[in-house]
Amino acid sequence: MTSLSDATRGRILYGGDYNPEQWPEETWHEDVRLMTEAGVNSVTLGVFSWSKLEPRPDERDFGWLDRLMDLMHDHGIGVVLATPTASPPPWMGHLYPDTLPRDEDGRTEWWGGRQHFSHSSATYRRRAAAITEDLAARYGAHPALTLWHINNEYCTYDWGDEAAARFRDWLRHRYGTLDALNTAWGTAFWSQGYGDWAEVLPPRHAHYLKNPTQVLDFKRFTSDMLLECYTAERDIVRRHTPHLPVTTNFMPLWAGQDAWRWAEEEDVVSVDLYPDPRDPFGAQSGALVQDMTRSQARGPWMLMEQAAGPVNWRGVNHPKPRGLNRLWSLQAVARGADAVCYFQWRQSRQGAEKFHSGMVGHAGARGRTYQEVKQLGADLARIAPHAAGAPLRADVAVLHDWHSWWAGDQEGRPSRAVDYPQVLGAWHRALWQSRLTTDFAHPEHDLSGYRLVVVPQLYLLTDTAVDNLLAYVLGGGTLVCGFLTGVADEDDRVRPGGMDARLRELFGIRTLHEWWPLEPGETAACEGGLRGTLWSEELEPDGTADETVPYKGGELDGLPAVLRKGRAWYVSTLPEPEALRALLARVAAGAGARPVLDGLPDGVEAVRRGELLFLLNHGREPVTVDVPGTRHDLLTETAVTDRITLGRYGVAVLKP
Ligand code: GAL
């Protein structure tokens, strides 16, 4: 078993996607000079190089890559080598139209962009395997090679005919018989009963609402098909280089793949992260993804891509103000990253991403972006000997599950205003603002190591997951569940009573009479000043709760908005941000989960990684932070006694 440490060897990997095929060879020499000057020790090659490597079917052109691999090695820069299978060459779609995916309306996704491959196409898979095999055979023994990067951000769907055939196979495997499928999908509704497997299709364009379990299974199937594409390539490279780790880069909190399942198949978990520099919660949304990626990795992880400046895919694309790139990069290291990499090294002059920043922007080496990249390289080198490989400890886990998201986020629900990622983000933000270090976990994971488990919303819970939550509370853990949790079983069938009976008993709820979703902007007042948003519930308590916070006024007047029975809490609304923060801070304190530091000024994040204390000022004004005792700031190489001032976007990495 290999891991990230086989690639980092005690360093923090620093670098990014390098697309030298877009540049003349003289530029390559300028590039390595600038890389060396900036402390870059890793580049990712070949992500979109298929048409260059295989210009015509079965022809190979490796000469340019041979020279690059050597050039990198000569300069001490390691190579993360990508299989180029995310963007097949034009000849592929032209000669083999069966490799092109179809959308749900039956339209073909043509070449001319990228990711125009059908995960289900046998031709695509065969050709992807062939180029992977040849790459692995040619470069497996190259001394520059440190890590394999399979494909890029697997994220495609396909509703076409070959995908339909594979979907039927997948369903046969899951259900065995059509009867079982009809039962699971509830096809008695709207005359959907299937009498022949050939009738079963992906959920293509339909007149009105689609069968929700069919949609759910299609999402499960898609994740599994893409995973098959990944593991097929992974197994090829592993055969050649069993000593080298393999990864594929996730998109942050991406709906299209069950990343818990995928992470089990990776040696290194990596993610691409692009918070909006103008988002007032950019730092927290970054922290959420960092916490989730660390939890999937169960240890150090890799920031495979971020932007040194603006991206080009938002409505308005803002650059990063001076210092922000450094701050967010060090935040990733604080939260467990052992690699800080970018898309991309040199900003393109042509193509769809020419207005996306690079580590070297259009302004070149004199530009502010590159100058800051250079400073960051020096910072990372200073902290690497102490930070790389060091673990983080969290007392709190937030539960998240893709299947629940897929089931819960469909049409035909009580409220379209409920957006799962937003709810998840709101709960994570409340914990982040309380400086509680948080892991994420799957609802069936072992939770016994956590003092507090938080479930923002798990609409779908398997029986095993319910058992797990009950056992966790029985074992002394503290559980807080948000609204719309435990509603559906694995087939998206509503549980009797509208919420799992054992969970109702756990929280002291006799009857869930109705859900009362709120309009956007509407609030539900509760005793003690708490106000709920988005949702409320008409709950009849069974009299066993130890504590309740009732709704005040309106239709639900006097009914419990929040219930606590022993160590189990149920919150039937989304409290406004400050109220949610205060509630979770109180519950966490009761559970013995401690914030990293008390009394921090607003906007200052504190994270402990191993023996290091990272302090990150997300504000534009300087702040002073009390840190009793004497420590050494690795970034400034000075001693810090009792207090430290952090400038705009300032960071300190303190070692005892
Ligand atoms: C990522 C992708 C990169 C580049 C980047 C731009 O999603 O992997 O190739 O497109 O976005 O932000």
Side-chain angles (χ1 to χ4, degrees), residues 217-432:
D217 274 347
F218 183 66
K219 294 192 172 178
R220 289 171 167 152
F221 156 79
T222 299
S223 178
D224 285 359
M225 284 304 100
L226 291 170
L227 185 59
E228 274 185 21
C229 291
Y230 163 75
T231 53
E233 293 185 28
R234 179 206 61 191
D235 291 349
I236 293 169
V237 302
R238 258 196 197 157
R239 191 159 30 75
H240 289 270
T241 55
H243 59 290
L244 288 180
V246 187
T247 188
T248 183
N249 49 336
F250 290 151
M251 282 198 266
L253 198 60
W254 167 247
Q257 72 207 142
D258 176 356
W260 289 123
R261 172 75 195 89
W262 279 62
E264 290 167 14
E265 303 289 346
E266 293 186 285
D267 302 315
V268 171
V269 180
S270 61
V271 77
D272 302 344
L273 182 54
Y274 295 94
D276 186 346
R278 280 282 180 100
D279 178 355
F281 295 110
Q284 176 266 325
S285 71
L288 183 155
V289 172
Q290 293 160 10
D291 289 343
M292 191 173 291
T293 310
R294 181 186 66 251
S295 306
Q296 286 156 354
R298 296 175 186 267
W301 54 280
M302 181 167 187
L303 178 57
M304 184 65 89
E305 292 181 20
Q306 60 170 340
V311 298
N312 69 324
W313 39 261
R314 292 199 168 94
V316 179
N317 298 292
H318 299 285
K320 285 184 167 162
R322 182 173 41 78
L324 191 64
N325 176 38
R326 174 175 183 263
L327 173 69
W328 284 358
S329 299
L330 292 169
Q331 181 195 33
V333 176
R335 293 186 176 272
D338 274 2
V340 174
C341 302
Y342 294 83
F343 175 84
Q344 61 176 326
W345 163 253
R346 187 181 276 280
Q347 182 169 17
S348 301
R349 290 183 56 206
Q350 289 186 292
E353 294 185 321
K354 58 183 179 292
F355 296 117
H356 190 292
S357 58
M359 299 166 81
V360 181
H362 290 155
R366 273 207 297 273
R368 171 173 68 82
T369 302
Y370 175 73
Q371 292 303 318
E372 288 189 46
V373 158
K374 226 163 79 171
Q375 185 200 347
L376 177 60
D379 288 334
L380 293 174
R382 265 184 220 113
I383 65 175
H386 312 278
L392 268 91
R393 213 205 107 60
D395 288 335
V396 184
V398 175
L399 303 193
H400 162 68
D401 176 30
W402 269 268
H403 298 246
S404 177
W405 183 5
W406 293 333
D409 224 20
Q410 294 194 26
E411 289 293 290
R413 304 277 160 186
S415 169
R416 273 195 196 148
V418 175
D419 174 65
Y420 174 77
Q422 252 176 33
V423 173
L424 190 70
W427 284 72
H428 181 272
R429 182 171 308 150
L431 295 161
W432 183 79

Side-chain angles (χ1 to χ4, degrees), residues 84 92-93 126 167 169 183 254 261 293 473 476 583 641:
M92 176 108 68
R126 194 173 55 249
F167 186 41
D169 290 345
T183 305
W254 167 247
R261 172 75 195 89
T293 310
V473 176
L583 177 73
T641 304

